[in-house]
Amino acid sequence: MTGLETPAAPSRADFLNRLQTIVGAAHVLTAGAATRRYTRGFRYGGGPVVAVVRPGSLVETWRVLNLAVASGQVAIFQAANTGLTGGSTPWGENYHREVVLISVMRLKGIHLIEGGRQVCCLPGATLDALEKRLRPLGRELHSVIGSSCIGASVLDGICINSGGALIQRGRAYTEMSLYAEVRADGSVALVNHLGLDLGEDPETILSRVERGDLPDPAPSNAWASDREYVTHVRDIEADTSARFNADPRRLRESSGCAGKLAVFAVRLDTFEAETDTAVFYIGTNDPAEVTEILRHILTRFQNLPIAAEYIHRGAYEVAAKYGKDIFLFIQRAGTNRMPALFAAKARIDALTERLGLGATVSDRLAQAVAGLTPQHLSARMNTFRDRYEHHLLLRMGSAGIAEARNYLSGLLPSASGDMFECTPEEGQAAFLHRFAVAGAAVCFRATHVREVEDIVALDIALRRNDCDWVERLPPEIDAKIEKKLYYGHFFCHVFHQDYVVKKGHDCTAVEHEMWHLLDRRGAEYTAEHNVGHLYHAKPELAGFYRKLDLTNSLNPGIGHTSKCAHWR
């Protein structure tokens, strides 16, 4: 056989029997009801699979991968299935081969390195679980409240170069990982770049990593986080974006691979937790005022903020009603209960859909219950909502608190804006409300199905020197939008823009019109959710995918690239 020939596939029955021999019959799912939660994307995506396989060890995962590749199947690796652009599920049916989806969520190991200064995480380790593991050590992971609340995995973030709210940490990134690649001749090779001497035999290496039998790290110049970002983001005169998914500076092996490698473990830095923090709530009707705050702090402050989150008044108002259920749940039950909540929601939606009741019953019920509860946001926050269009939440730590207090007190109040320093409870509520914005458009859609067609959700990165960051839609596009939600990570110039499209309009056409506007502004997209199957991968990113997966066996079609074997 030449390297360009697709191997003869075994019969479906034979293939399924071999899978069951590897992982056990209970972990090879084929029925539609059993596979739905894996094959249906969190927000977008879906398609048929020959099976969903749930390996219980790294060695089983390795064997399943080898079987799928040798059988000429497409292999899609999936962690928590929390992606927002459909990148971790099948997308339609035109793969020209059958698809086996490999769910890695049984592989939850987290191993501390150097007392927790670094960690080695397996594919199913979630951000939430890592946060709990690090908390007693006084350390934090790359991301805090956000993806962790919906049960996202650590490897999810690495594989899509995800962003996050924390200004000093940049994107999820590492140069230290253990992964398998499919080579040009169709063979599967294990590559150990963890910086740990684990031997040569693939199954021995995988077994040692899984049980935490890790030797002392060898000296290495490889990075386990984006060490440059803290200075990179300060360059406010740069004509490029601070961070975006297709940035070739941070595309390396597992980082940004989007499933074109089978990643078994990653080694990551952790960070000392801030124990002394304060939140400053800023409101203004002049966007130039918060632009000046951004530029002054990034260039003149000795201490960068921990986070600086933006909310437009329209997003504030929608989230105050349609994000209230998530706000209250986290406030009362904590973020650690969120993954279980979303899993329960998925089961309820699957059941009600089968019964012909639709897949929005859980959302509508949650909204009804939340609507019976008292006002959850502080009077000062709601007063600022009434007075000001633009809201900036500035979280400072340690010495940065006094630095921000002195600067802001000399700047505000002004003719167009004002600020207040939050109580601890207000500060927590302000950032929790900002998080609730992210799901508010989805809940609005679920409760307005007669008026709403769907959501166009964009995450964009503006140029660092772009002072004109407020979007102004042409009237012909604006007329198609029911609600606009603008929010984001302001100091990184990364914005989330959710458009609830009115009934009867073509959402794909609206999105493409939005892309043209962004292209004219010099924006990069996607900024942190990755291209998935919604966006076209730019040439640098598409080339990266092709270099990683020469036979196009793993997650083909990502970024609107070819779904065919060998990229034909």
Side-chain angles (χ1 to χ4, degrees):
M1 183 188 347
T2 69
L4 295 180
E5 292 173 348
T6 301
S11 70
R12 176 176 288 203
D14 184 39
F15 181 69
L16 294 176
N17 285 336
R18 294 188 202 180
L19 290 176
Q20 291 172 357
T21 298
I22 296 171
V23 304
H27 297 294
V28 179
L29 312 178
T30 57
T35 61
R36 181 190 184 279
R37 61 175 292 198
Y38 303 95
T39 59
R40 188 79 62 89
F42 183 72
R43 188 180 278 182
Y44 301 104
V49 297
V50 63
V52 171
V53 188
R54 303 177 64 248
S57 70
L58 294 183
V59 169
E60 288 183 2
T61 308
W62 167 256
R63 292 173 180 173
V64 168
L65 172 63
N66 276 271
L67 174 60
V69 172
S71 303
Q73 310 278 22
V74 163
I76 298 177
F77 280 80
Q78 182 188 91
N81 193 17
T82 57
L84 300 180
T85 56
S88 59
T89 65
W91 189 270
E93 302 182 12
N94 57 332
Y95 285 90
H96 311 285
R97 298 158 284 172
E98 289 197 298
V99 177
V100 56
L101 191 152
I102 304 171
S103 171
V104 298
M105 289 308 291
R106 295 176 67 200
L107 313 173
K108 299 180 180 297
I110 296 171
H111 307 303
L112 302 181
I113 298 174
E114 296 181 337
R117 293 181 62 235
Q118 289 187 329
V119 290
C120 179
C121 295
L122 302 193
T126 63
L127 293 167
D128 173 65
L130 180 55
E131 187 176 28
K132 292 177 188 173
R133 186 74 183 275
L134 294 175
R135 190 177 295 134
L137 306 177
R139 301 194 70 80
E140 293 180 337
L141 59 161
H142 165 267
S143 301
V144 292
I145 186 168
S147 297
S148 58
C149 295
I150 56 176
S153 78
V154 177
L155 266 70
D156 277 336
I158 293 297
C159 291
I160 67 169
N161 275 155
S162 69
L166 303 181
I167 296 169
Q168 301 175 38
R169 299 180 193 174
R171 295 184 295 170
Y173 178 73
T174 188
E175 298 168 359
M176 313 182 84
S177 59
L178 176 67
Y179 62 87
E181 61 184 9
V182 182
R183 295 184 170 167
D185 62 357
S187 63
V188 180
L190 188 69
V191 180
N192 177 16
H193 285 169
L194 285 173
L196 304 170
D197 185 0
L198 298 163
E200 299 296 331
D201 175 65
E203 295 199 358
T204 299
I205 293 171
L206 293 167
S207 295
R208 290 189 63 183
V209 168
E210 182 157 14
R211 65 176 181 264
D213 179 15
L214 307 179
D216 292 334
S220 175
N221 293 323
W223 291 4
S225 62
D226 187 349
R227 299 176 186 174
E228 289 181 341
Y229 191 76
V230 70
T231 54
H232 177 76
V233 73
R234 285 183 181 268
D235 186 1
I236 62 171
E237 302 304 335
D239 196 36
T240 57
S241 302
R243 56 177 169 89
F244 57 100
N245 289 132
D247 185 354
R249 296 171 57 255
R250 292 296 174 262
L251 296 175
R252 181 186 173 103
E253 298 177 348
S254 62
S255 294
C257 74
K260 302 303 286 181
L261 297 172
V263 186
F264 291 95
V266 294
R267 180 175 161 188
L268 301 170
D269 290 331
T270 67
F271 306 88
E272 187 175 352
E274 291 275 6
T275 57
D276 184 18
T277 66
V279 174
F280 300 88
Y281 199 108
I282 300 161
T284 184
N285 290 315
D286 181 4
E289 197 157 42
V290 285
T291 301
E292 174 55 31
I293 292 172
L294 175 153
R295 294 175 69 85
H296 180 95
I297 291 177
L298 286 180
T299 55
R300 300 187 187 182
F301 270 35
Q302 289 187 344
N303 305 278
L304 282 185
I306 298 168
E309 293 293 288
Y310 170 77
I311 312 176
H312 185 269
R313 177 160 54 199
Y316 184 112
E317 291 173 339
V318 172
K321 180 175 182 180
Y322 297 97
K324 186 177 181 181
D325 56 331
I326 293 297
F327 180 105
L328 293 175
F329 185 90
I330 295 176
Q331 188 181 60
R332 297 176 185 182
T335 58
N336 60 318
R337 299 289 181 88
M338 285 294 289
L341 173 69
F342 276 92
K345 180 183 182 303
R347 289 193 293 270
I348 293 171
D349 291 344
L351 174 63
T352 57
E353 190 174 47
R354 289 200 303 273
L355 295 175
L357 302 175
T360 63
V361 172
S362 63
D363 289 304
R364 287 185 276 128
L365 180 61
Q367 289 298 304
V369 173
L372 300 175
T373 62
Q375 173 58 246
H376 61 297
L377 300 174
S378 76
R380 289 201 292 183
M381 287 174 61
N382 286 332
T383 297
F384 267 46
R385 171 204 57 197
D386 296 337
R387 292 171 59 190
Y388 302 117
E389 181 178 4
H390 306 285
H391 298 231
L392 178 64
L393 286 56
L394 192 66
R395 185 187 297 278
M396 303 297 299
S398 303
I401 297 174
E403 199 172 12
R405 187 179 291 138
N406 293 337
Y407 167 64
L408 293 173
S409 63
L411 185 69
L412 298 166
S414 67
S416 53
D418 203 352
M419 59 82 67
F420 62 87
E421 187 171 341
C422 295
T423 65
E425 294 75 21
E426 278 180 320
Q428 182 183 41
F431 272 86
L432 185 50
H433 182 56
R434 156 62 186 88
F435 168 72
V437 175
V442 176
C443 291
F444 184 91
R445 175 185 63 184
T447 53
H448 293 78
V449 291
R450 295 180 180 177
E451 302 92 37
V452 170
E453 191 66 35
D454 209 337
I455 300 167
V456 170
L458 302 176
D459 65 295
I460 70 168
L462 298 180
R463 295 167 296 172
R464 282 171 282 173
N465 63 357
D466 193 347
C467 295
D468 187 18
W469 50 271
V470 177
E471 181 177 72
R472 301 170 185 84
L473 291 178
E476 61 273 17
I477 298 180
D478 196 54
K480 302 173 185 177
I481 309 301
E482 180 72 25
K483 293 286 185 182
K484 299 188 291 285
L485 283 72
Y486 297 111
Y487 54 104
H489 316 304
F490 190 65
F491 276 38
C492 300
H493 249 28
V494 167
F495 293 88
H496 299 284
Q497 301 180 172
D498 294 345
Y499 308 93
V500 183
V501 179
K502 293 179 180 177
K503 201 73 172 179
H505 291 285
D506 184 340
C507 291
T508 300
V510 170
E511 184 165 23
H512 291 177
E513 290 177 295
M514 298 291 187
W515 292 355
H516 294 315
L517 296 177
L518 295 174
D519 290 339
R520 289 201 290 269
R521 296 177 69 188
E524 294 283 355
Y525 54 94
T526 57
E528 58 183 15
H529 291 160
N530 213 346
V531 292
H533 288 282
L534 292 183
Y535 300 91
H536 289 269
K538 293 188 175 181
E540 298 88 346
L541 187 58
F544 176 65
Y545 293 156
R546 188 161 186 159
K547 179 181 177 182
L548 293 179
D549 183 12
L550 296 173
T551 66
N552 206 20
S553 299
L554 305 179
N555 206 10
I558 199 81
H560 288 264
T561 57
S562 171
K563 288 184 176 179
C564 297
H566 302 283
W567 303 89
R568 290 184 290 219

